[in-house]
Amino acid sequence: MLFIIAFLLQGVFSVQFTFSLKSKELKCFGENIGQNSLVVGAIQGNSSEYSLKIHMPTKKVDNILQYSHSLELQKFSFTTNNTQLNYQFCIHNLANIWMSYNFTLVTGMDAQDFSLLAQKEDLKPLEIHLKKLNGLVNAIELDQKEIEERQSNRFSDVSKISYKIILFSVITLLLMVLTNFVQARKLKQFFKYKKLI
């Protein structure tokens, strides 16, 4: 039962927290977000002297999705792409004083606004709830495919690593046997030379 609840909640992610930054301090938060997922968030500071950078860190290029500063309440939204899982949200305090910030991040079905859809299609509350559940089931199916893909990638990586470890072990064993053989011959020759054998 716990597995089912955890699996259902995996398609929806929501977090809200408050943190403080010293003068000129930078703090980044990272989150793994599924493919083709809607992300909605907001950051609110008690002053407008800060910058927000949302980016996808990679080894080659730092792909910046959004960069803004000098807004007391900064809202953002985007849809994740098909290739990147890790997204970073960096907040930089530009003020000369200690600042407090409130950060909110919502993904998946919780990020979608069904009120406009309800007005447009004249839906009843139960129908809205069914649409949300349908969207949640679709999100769970996508997450399950993503998990299976990650698992197969990890399995292939583990297989490659285990093959390399076995190969290294066999080579090491052969080198040890060869070294033993060479040492035994040298010792035998030394003892023959000294006429101890």
Side-chain angles (χ1 to χ4, degrees), residues 110-180:
D110 280 350
Q112 293 183 2
D113 185 15
F114 283 94
S115 61
L116 295 175
L117 182 67
Q119 289 174 355
K120 184 178 177 183
E121 296 182 14
D122 194 32
L123 298 176
K124 297 176 180 143
L126 185 60
E127 292 171 326
I128 294 171
H129 189 66
L130 286 174
K131 286 228 182 243
K132 285 182 182 179
L133 287 176
N134 188 29
L136 187 60
V137 167
N138 291 337
I140 289 171
E141 286 176 354
L142 286 174
D143 284 347
Q144 186 177 9
K145 287 178 186 175
E146 204 174 300
I147 289 168
E148 289 171 357
E149 184 178 313
R150 277 193 232 159
Q151 184 178 4
S152 67
N153 288 342
R154 286 185 181 145
F155 181 75
S156 67
D157 290 345
V158 167
S159 297
K160 289 176 188 175
I161 291 171
S162 65
Y163 172 74
K164 289 177 182 178
I165 289 172
I166 290 170
L167 186 64
F168 177 76
S169 300
V170 167
I171 290 172
T172 305
L173 184 64
L174 289 174
L175 284 174
M176 287 174 56
V177 168
L178 182 66
T179 305
N180 255 349

Side-chain angles (χ1 to χ4, degrees), residues 24-190:
K24 309 296 182 197
E25 185 180 6
L26 172 72
K27 187 170 279 195
C28 293
F29 306 100
E31 185 58 44
N32 286 340
I33 302 172
Q35 297 175 351
N36 297 323
S37 181
L38 178 64
V39 178
V40 176
I43 180 163
Q44 184 172 10
N46 54 4
S47 170
S48 62
E49 294 185 46
Y50 70 90
S51 67
L52 168 69
K53 179 170 89 167
I54 303 170
H55 63 116
M56 298 181 299
T58 59
K59 292 179 182 175
K60 296 177 184 174
V61 178
D62 192 16
N63 189 2
I64 297 175
L65 290 174
Q66 186 171 347
Y67 181 81
S68 60
H69 60 86
S70 299
L71 296 170
E72 283 191 30
L73 174 64
Q74 174 64 41
K75 293 184 177 184
F76 58 88
S77 67
F78 60 92
T79 302
T80 59
N81 62 15
N82 291 329
T83 58
Q84 186 70 26
L85 292 172
N86 188 18
Y87 291 83
Q88 281 195 342
F89 305 89
C90 296
I91 295 90
H92 189 193
N93 182 5
L94 301 173
N96 291 325
I97 57 171
W98 190 282
M99 299 272 295
S100 178
Y101 298 95
N102 186 18
F103 184 79
T104 305
L105 183 68
V106 181
T107 66
M109 293 306 297
D110 280 350
Q112 293 183 2
D113 185 15
F114 283 94
S115 61
L116 295 175
L117 182 67
Q119 289 174 355
K120 184 178 177 183
E121 296 182 14
D122 194 32
L123 298 176
K124 297 176 180 143
L126 185 60
E127 292 171 326
I128 294 171
H129 189 66
L130 286 174
K131 286 228 182 243
K132 285 182 182 179
L133 287 176
N134 188 29
L136 187 60
V137 167
N138 291 337
I140 289 171
E141 286 176 354
L142 286 174
D143 284 347
Q144 186 177 9
K145 287 178 186 175
E146 204 174 300
I147 289 168
E148 289 171 357
E149 184 178 313
R150 277 193 232 159
Q151 184 178 4
S152 67
N153 288 342
R154 286 185 181 145
F155 181 75
S156 67
D157 290 345
V158 167
S159 297
K160 289 176 188 175
I161 291 171
S162 65
Y163 172 74
K164 289 177 182 178
I165 289 172
I166 290 170
L167 186 64
F168 177 76
S169 300
V170 167
I171 290 172
T172 305
L173 184 64
L174 289 174
L175 284 174
M176 287 174 56
V177 168
L178 182 66
T179 305
N180 255 349
F181 179 73
V182 169
Q183 282 180 344
R185 284 188 57 95
K186 290 287 183 184
L187 276 173
K188 193 174 182 181
Q189 286 176 357
F190 175 75

